[in-house]
């Protein structure tokens, strides 16, 4: 089974380096262009099903590919980004000033309305594992978010990938063969060079 796990296109908050979390921020013009180029790339790649986070930046990205391939997009809230609660809408520097940095203790995260990394990892892994089992002999495209994708890939790789970058519309090619996963390629953005 083949999984193409893709980050959504750019938003204004990406450009401003604001924490988006589960705030529903739409694609900006650059993000829409990135989605069009992603769709062009997938016009030559067999895909059977498309799933997406229900947040508009991810859904819009998946819908652009879906229109090109003639495939509907199935929205799923379990594919959302990690929730950062009260910290959403701020840059890392603003969080450092206003909140004395990101909370490290579970109790403080809960007080701020945040998910822990482990909760995000379990949520994403559980949903993607369900999709793998459901579409075992098929090829699926899943559009999600940077933090959620990182959590999943680090989980299946069994290590923290501190130097790993994930650009907007970066494609991660993963194969699932019972009982495990194999990461083929991460952060493929060659389509962004398309005219």
């Amino acid at each position: 089974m083949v999984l193409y796990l893709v980050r959504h296109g750019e938003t204004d908050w990406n450009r401003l380096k604001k924490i988006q979390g589960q705030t529903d921020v739409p694609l900006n013009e650059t993000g829409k262009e990135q989605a069009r180029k992603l769709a062009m790339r997938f016009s030559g790649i067999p895909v059977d099903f498309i799933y997406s986070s229900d947040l508009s930046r991810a859904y819009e990205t998946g819908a652009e590919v879906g229109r090109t391939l003639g495939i509907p997009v199935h929205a799923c809230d379990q594919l959302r980004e990690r929730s950062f609660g009260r910290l959403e809408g701020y840059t890392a520097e603003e969080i450092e000033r206003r909140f004395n940095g990101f909370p490290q203790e579970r109790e403080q995260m809960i007080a701020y309305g945040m998910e822990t990394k482990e909760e995000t990892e379990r949520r994403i892994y559980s949903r993607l594992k369900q999709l793998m089992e459901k579409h075992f002999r098929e090829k699926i495209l899943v559009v999600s978010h940077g933090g959620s994708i990182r959590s999943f890939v680090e989980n299946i790789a069994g290590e923290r990938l501190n130097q790993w970058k994930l650009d907007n519309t970066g494609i991660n090619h993963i194969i699932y063969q019972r009982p495990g996963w194999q990461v083929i390629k991460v952060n493929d953005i060659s389509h962004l060079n398309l005219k």
Side-chain angles (χ1 to χ4, degrees), residues 12-29:
D12 286 340
W13 282 22
N14 285 141
R15 186 169 285 173
L16 296 170
K17 301 190 182 315
K18 290 185 176 185
I19 303 296
Q20 295 179 109
Q22 295 189 8
T23 302
D24 198 9
V25 183
L27 296 179
N28 61 21
E29 288 307 311

Side-chain angles (χ1 to χ4, degrees), residues 88-151:
E88 293 178 10
Y90 296 103
T91 66
E93 292 78 16
E94 290 169 336
I95 290 169
E96 190 62 42
R97 281 197 314 272
R98 293 176 64 112
F99 302 97
N100 294 316
F102 287 89
Q104 302 301 314
E105 301 299 324
R106 178 176 170 76
E107 293 74 21
Q108 192 178 14
M109 289 183 191
I110 291 169
Y112 281 25
M114 293 175 62
E115 272 185 306
T116 66
K117 286 183 181 179
E118 293 75 22
E119 287 168 337
T120 303
E121 191 173 280
R122 280 194 301 273
R123 170 170 55 82
I124 295 295
Y125 184 88
S126 173
R127 184 57 177 144
L128 290 176
K129 182 81 184 316
Q130 289 171 0
L131 293 177
M132 299 308 102
E133 294 293 343
K134 179 178 180 179
H135 300 292
F136 184 64
R137 300 197 182 279
E138 296 169 310
K139 297 173 179 67
I140 67 169
L141 168 66
V142 173
V143 184
S144 189
H145 306 266
S148 296
I149 293 170
R150 177 180 289 276
S151 292

Side-chain angles (χ1 to χ4, degrees), residues 155-172:
N155 186 345
I156 64 175
E159 60 180 307
R160 295 294 176 203
L161 305 171
N162 296 325
Q163 303 305 313
W164 177 46
K165 186 175 183 194
L166 183 57
D167 294 295
N168 291 109
T169 67
I171 303 168
N172 303 282

Side-chain angles (χ1 to χ4, degrees), residues 74-94:
H74 304 278
C76 177
D77 61 358
Q78 288 177 296
L79 297 172
R80 285 183 173 193
E81 180 61 286
R82 178 183 176 190
S83 172
F84 285 90
R86 290 172 42 204
L87 304 185
E88 293 178 10
Y90 296 103
T91 66
E93 292 78 16
E94 290 169 336

